[in-house]
Amino acid sequence: MEAPYDALVVSRNIGVGQYITAGSQVAEINNIEHAEVMVPIAGFDAPFLPKDIEGVSAEIIAKGRIEAIREGEIVRDLGVVDSATRMVNMVIRIDDPYGLKSNLTPLPFGSYVEVQFNGRTVDNLFQVPQELVIDERVWVVDPEDKLIPKPVHVLREEQANFFIDSGIENGDELVLTVPEFPQIGMTVIRVNDEADVLAQQGEASE
């Protein structure tokens, strides 16, 4: 009896000298010509995925008892949002996971791995501390040293920062110390070029 492909015997249901009949299950085998890795992608990462995800190269990193780095390729998106985690799953294929045709370190089925691949480049993205974004807007200083609010769109939240893709531009002066009750048109007192800026009601000179 011979498998039609390179395979790993997972279980055997017969022994030496045992009789079998047509249709009997004699063993369970896994094809080891290729392996597939399921990668969950959270919703907030979706804007950073490449537009054409299929065919993108990926690096698979195994740590722990077995350490290995292998190259793979994203072959498909399952196209279903997991009802429990609200994530989508990408499938990455690895050729010859057990290294039968190469000198690469075997990557056994069931291994826990990290996956890295290049995402989409987002232009004009600004990293802003979370505490400066209030009610989806930030406070900036206009050319006349007055406070004005600007609505912003937060593309991603990461640790203590928001990544904003619209609403502010290069050259905007962001208020780092916002008064307790900011009002449009408050005059800004500049302490120095590197310090936080303060605001107060009424007119003031530098």
Side-chain angles (χ1 to χ4, degrees), residues 70-128:
R70 302 293 295 272
E71 294 298 321
E73 180 181 300
I74 300 176
V75 292
R76 64 185 182 277
D77 174 357
L78 293 186
V80 178
V81 178
D82 188 286
S83 59
T85 64
R86 310 310 301 169
M87 294 185 178
V88 298
N89 287 287
M90 303 292 175
V91 179
I92 299 176
R93 176 174 292 174
I94 308 168
D95 292 330
D96 190 24
Y98 281 82
L100 298 182
K101 300 176 182 178
S102 68
N103 294 322
L104 297 174
T105 302
L107 190 61
F109 291 153
S111 301
Y112 286 96
V113 297
E114 296 178 4
V115 174
Q116 297 179 358
F117 60 89
N118 292 328
R120 180 169 64 90
T121 299
V122 180
D123 297 326
N124 300 319
L125 197 63
F126 296 89
Q127 179 177 321
V128 176

Side-chain angles (χ1 to χ4, degrees), residues 28-91:
E28 179 182 351
I29 60 176
N30 286 342
N31 184 337
I32 57 174
E33 293 179 344
H34 308 284
E36 291 189 342
V37 180
M38 305 285 290
V39 181
I41 305 292
F44 56 77
D45 281 325
F48 297 91
L49 292 176
K51 185 175 182 180
D52 298 318
I53 194 71
E54 293 185 12
V56 172
S57 298
E59 188 175 72
I60 295 87
I61 305 168
K63 299 179 180 179
R65 186 178 66 87
I66 295 176
E67 295 189 359
I69 299 177
R70 302 293 295 272
E71 294 298 321
E73 180 181 300
I74 300 176
V75 292
R76 64 185 182 277
D77 174 357
L78 293 186
V80 178
V81 178
D82 188 286
S83 59
T85 64
R86 310 310 301 169
M87 294 185 178
V88 298
N89 287 287
M90 303 292 175
V91 179

